[in-house]
Amino acid sequence: MRRMDSFAVVAEGVRKRLGATQALDGLDLTVPEGTVCGLLGPNGAGKTTAVRVLTTLLRADAGRALVAGFDVADRPAEVRYRIGLAGQNPTVDEILTGRENLEMWGRLYHLGRATARRRAGELLDRFGLAGDADKRVKHYSGGMRRRLDLAAAFVLAPRVLFLDEPTTGLDPRNRNEVWQAVRDLAASGSTVLMTTQYLFEADQLAHQIAVIDSGRVIADGSPDELKSMIGGDQIDLVVRDAADLAEAARVLAAAAGAEPGADPDARRLIAPVRDRIGALTEVVRELGERGVAVEDVALRRPTLDEVFLSLTGGKPEHDAGEQGAGKQAVGKRVAA
Amino acid sequence: MTTAIAPVIPRSRVQRLYWTFADGCVIARGNLVHLARNPAAILNLLLYPIVMVLLFGFVLGSAMNVAGGGDYREFLMPGMFGQTMTLGVMTTMVIVTNDAARGVTDRFRSMPISRAGVVLGRAVADMVNSVLELAVLLLCGLAVGWSWHRGLGNALTALGLLLLLRFALIWVGIYLGLILTPESAAAAWMPLMPLTMLANTFVSPELMPGWMGALSEWNPLSATVAACRELFGNPGWGGDSWAAAHALPLAVAWPVALTLVFLPLSARRYRRLAR
Ligand SMILES: Nc1ncnc2c1ncn2[C@@H]1O[C@H](COP(=O)(O)OP(=O)(O)OP(=O)(O)O)[C@@H](O)[C@H]1O
Ligand SMILES: [Mg+2]
């Protein structure tokens, strides 16, 4: 039996129905203190619902959830003193300035007037907003708003910070600032649970990645564990002449140690590889020796679609929308 | 970089009460800053009463009769006061729906702020807003020849009754605001406007068709307006019906009843946001 108090977040069999959707369908998750956990999943997977239950905004239908050692259903007030939340959409006050916003949130977190002011100054610096601190938020860009919203979640330097898709809509520089703030906070002992649709982001930040789909955690582990589970990097090869496909497939199979997926219409082959550079050089050399003309060759990480595909056993679970369509397309390629 | 931040966690009843007030003040202040920085809202606050008083007092007023005789503008002003207080419910409703839609309500709910503090802030801001509206309207009234005739004490009591109605409507506004979307809240103007006229605000109910008159007599707004006419000594108060004869107690009873019904309802609705 593991000790519960060394976990910042514990969810056991959490279920939540929203309208006709079973948004959470037995969610199990444990996040150790002081780590960053990435909750990774496609649209509608239940990420936001999970965050809302853990931040006391929604009451679960069944199951149990502890945050910072307190039950979210029984002791919501204790939980609220120990968490910060930046929701999927910024909730900053348009009419106030950035500084006024942060001072107001600070006061509402029961910091004294002087402390709230000092803290607002620190956060404006940290999130690169110092120069625009005294402008009204309605004149901010989307990225600035989002950073201000994140800063509001950092006011208390919370024990557990919940960020729902914190970098959606940010340019790379701002995204890096957010990442750095998350790393700093984790280094100072806080726990961060963030949702994301990008494997790359989870890979950059998280000690632990929980893949969520249809309201359930379908894979949970360190980024490396997860990647090895789904086969890691892939060689993505396009030949110039369709007649060469069979020959190229043999070369790729030899290098990867597995039969590659094929998409004959696009003259494309994909194979997961372990020894990334070694395999790539071997493939390129072999193809050159056999006179196979290559139009494009790349070494790339699996996309989220492919992660899901392999984790959900290849059957497209949602047939609606582009997500489902994307999955199916990839499915044909890899499984063919 | 990260300074140790220690929030004050209230443990005793007194501390909790203190923080409820402190939170309420911070929230009310934020809301009032909104008003102060919104030139359109300020212009509206000033212009709307002036336009309405001119429109009803002079354009329509020239063709209006007061049952039992008397100057129409003297009759009109208490009705305008009452209507303005009633339409204040729109302000509450629209702000509450917007806060919910923009996630502000959720942010509050994820923070250790007492719910009473959030509501208190809302109530204080709305009341300040309404006091300003009433003051502007009062000045407009004085400018077109309206006045009070039964002493300052009675006049202040009348203003108190008007604000009591507004206070009761805060709860109605919060309740509806938690149910409606911002779009439908803005559209609530449509049913609300006629409701403020299906009363003794602009026309004496005696002059309306039977059923309409009866409905108007019993409109909560009518009680407040009739009581104001009585306390200000303006024409058009009194009448044969029970409601008209008991305007003063009704002007207290209606708001109290509305509060008793809608305060618990809105508290329940707020708790149900977690469903
Ligand atoms: N209020 C609601 N009423 C009915 N269904 C809802 C409601 N909110 C969410 N859902 C449904 O619950 C499921 C999970 O939604 P959730 O918002 O948790 O997904 P998500 O993983 O955050 O998605 P996204 O990446 O789009 O933000 C979805 O199918 C969604 O349609
Ligand atoms: Mg979401």
Side-chain angles (χ1 to χ4, degrees):
Chain A
M1 187 73 198
R2 289 187 290 190
R3 278 183 52 228
M4 286 305 181
D5 57 5
S6 59
F7 291 101
V9 177
V10 179
E12 288 172 347
V14 173
R15 298 171 59 80
K16 180 73 195 177
R17 194 173 187 82
L18 292 172
T21 316
Q22 190 68 46
L24 293 180
D25 191 12
L27 184 88
D28 292 308
L29 183 68
T30 51
V31 184
E33 291 257 18
T35 65
V36 178
C37 172
L39 205 55
L40 182 70
N43 290 137
K47 303 182 295 293
T48 298
T49 310
V51 167
R52 289 174 61 80
V53 166
L54 293 171
T55 52
T56 76
L57 294 179
L58 272 185
R59 199 172 255 274
D61 298 332
R64 192 169 77 115
L66 304 181
V67 170
F70 293 95
D71 191 304
V72 293
D74 300 340
R75 309 287 298 279
E78 300 290 343
V79 171
R80 290 180 193 138
Y81 269 109
R82 293 167 176 83
I83 62 170
L85 167 65
Q88 195 162 348
N89 304 305
T91 58
V92 285
D93 191 320
E94 303 269 311
I95 312 286
L96 302 181
T97 68
R99 190 187 305 282
E100 286 169 337
N101 259 284
L102 288 178
E103 284 180 10
M104 182 178 80
W105 298 116
R107 297 301 303 280
L108 290 175
Y109 272 119
H110 298 176
L111 304 180
R113 194 185 297 269
T115 317
R117 178 159 304 160
R118 181 171 51 86
R119 185 66 182 151
E122 283 174 11
L123 290 169
L124 288 164
D125 278 342
R126 178 194 270 194
F127 285 90
L129 290 168
D132 304 293
D134 298 307
K135 269 197 216 157
R136 289 195 202 167
V137 172
K138 70 172 170 198
H139 303 303
Y140 277 23
S141 71
M144 289 160 72
R145 267 163 223 242
R146 184 153 269 285
R147 278 182 285 149
L148 183 64
D149 191 59
L150 287 168
F154 280 73
V155 166
L156 278 193
R159 286 266 302 280
V160 189
L161 180 65
F162 293 88
L163 305 175
D164 197 359
E165 298 191 18
T167 59
T168 305
L170 293 188
D171 64 26
R173 192 175 63 91
N174 291 331
R175 191 187 58 194
N176 284 332
E177 272 165 24
V178 170
W179 286 356
Q180 197 48 50
V182 169
R183 288 193 193 101
D184 287 350
L185 201 74
S188 68
S190 294
T191 308
V192 180
L193 190 148
M194 60 185 288
T195 75
T196 175
Q197 302 191 32
Y198 310 117
L199 180 60
F200 177 65
E201 177 167 84
D203 196 9
Q204 285 288 307
L205 281 179
H207 302 101
Q208 173 194 358
I209 297 177
V211 182
I212 174 172
D213 190 26
S214 304
R216 227 172 318 189
V217 173
I218 55 173
D220 187 359
S222 71
D224 280 342
E225 283 168 346
L226 208 69
K227 270 187 268 177
S228 60
M229 209 156 93
I230 59 173
D233 290 352
Q234 302 174 329
I235 290 179
D236 188 339
L237 178 76
V238 180
V239 295
R240 185 157 298 157
D241 188 349
D244 287 335
L245 265 177
E247 179 82 3
R250 275 194 294 278
V251 171
L252 207 50
E259 206 55 37
D263 181 355
D265 295 340
R267 291 169 279 118
R268 165 174 269 142
L269 296 164
I270 295 175
V273 290
R274 241 157 233 288
D275 170 21
R276 302 164 65 239
I277 304 298
L280 184 64
T281 3
E282 188 188 329
V283 167
V284 172
R285 199 192 59 232
E286 276 291 315
L287 289 174
E289 278 176 9
R290 297 176 191 215
V292 175
V294 174
E295 193 161 287
D296 194 11
V297 62
L299 188 64
R300 63 174 179 84
R301 286 165 193 275
T303 64
L304 183 56
D305 279 345
E306 289 157 338
V307 174
F308 273 94
L309 187 76
S310 78
L311 286 171
T312 53
K315 60 171 188 345
E317 296 227 335
H318 316 275
D319 42 13
E322 52 196 84
Q323 197 76 33
K327 259 197 233 178
Q328 259 171 320
V330 177
K332 210 166 63 191
R333 234 192 281 154
V334 176
Chain B
M1 179 75 219
T2 307
T3 354
I5 302 294
V8 182
I9 303 187
R11 294 295 178 193
S12 72
R13 192 182 291 264
V14 176
Q15 276 179 327
R16 250 182 242 128
L17 202 63
Y18 168 78
W19 280 112
T20 298
F21 276 99
D23 292 344
C25 288
V26 174
I27 291 172
R29 197 171 152 265
N31 274 295
L32 290 172
V33 169
H34 279 206
L35 180 65
R37 289 187 189 167
N38 187 344
I42 294 176
L43 204 68
N44 201 35
L45 184 81
L46 292 173
L47 232 51
Y48 181 79
I50 297 174
V51 169
M52 289 306 269
V53 167
L54 292 180
L55 209 62
F56 280 94
F58 292 94
V59 178
L60 299 177
S62 46
M64 289 289 201
N65 293 313
V66 180
D71 177 53
Y72 181 68
R73 284 191 289 282
E74 281 267 296
F75 170 85
L76 170 72
M77 285 319 294
M80 300 265 337
F81 296 150
Q83 188 196 36
T84 304
M85 291 302 99
T86 309
L87 290 179
V89 76
M90 287 290 298
T91 314
T92 309
M93 211 157 67
V94 167
I95 295 178
V96 171
T97 50
N98 278 335
D99 279 359
R102 286 177 43 239
V104 176
T105 309
D106 279 349
R107 174 151 262 168
F108 283 151
R109 289 173 62 233
S110 79
M111 292 172 74
I113 316 170
S114 79
R115 279 165 200 172
V118 176
V119 169
L120 187 71
R122 171 84 276 116
V124 170
D126 285 356
M127 289 310 283
V128 169
N129 194 355
S130 292
V131 168
L132 290 177
E133 283 182 325
L134 203 52
V136 175
L137 206 52
L138 212 74
L139 293 176
C140 289
L142 289 172
V144 299
W146 165 84
S147 190
W148 59 87
H149 309 290
R150 294 183 59 197
L152 196 62
N154 278 331
L156 288 176
T157 311
L159 295 180
L161 286 178
L162 287 164
L163 291 173
L164 180 68
L165 179 66
R166 178 68 186 94
F167 179 79
L169 290 174
I170 288 174
W171 311 108
V172 179
I174 292 179
Y175 178 68
L176 293 177
L178 290 175
I179 292 178
L180 300 176
T181 61
E183 298 76 37
S184 50
W189 187 263
M190 267 310 291
L192 191 63
M193 196 69 184
L195 276 181
T196 64
M197 299 192 162
L198 204 60
N200 60 3
T201 34
F202 299 108
V203 178
S204 309
E206 293 107 282
L207 303 179
M208 301 179 188
W211 62 273
M212 206 183 245
L215 217 64
S216 300
E217 294 268 12
W218 283 96
N219 190 330
L221 173 57
S222 292
T224 303
V225 171
C228 286
R229 288 188 180 129
E230 183 173 341
L231 288 165
F232 287 136
N234 294 145
W237 60 276
D240 302 333
S241 72
W242 190 89
H246 297 82
L248 264 171
L250 276 177
V252 176
W254 266 121
V256 169
L258 283 174
T259 306
L260 286 179
V261 171
F262 281 95
L263 197 151
L265 273 182
S266 44
R268 196 171 77 132
R269 191 75 215 170
Y270 195 86
R271 278 195 302 276
R272 286 199 170 198
L273 290 177
R275 287 250 176 129

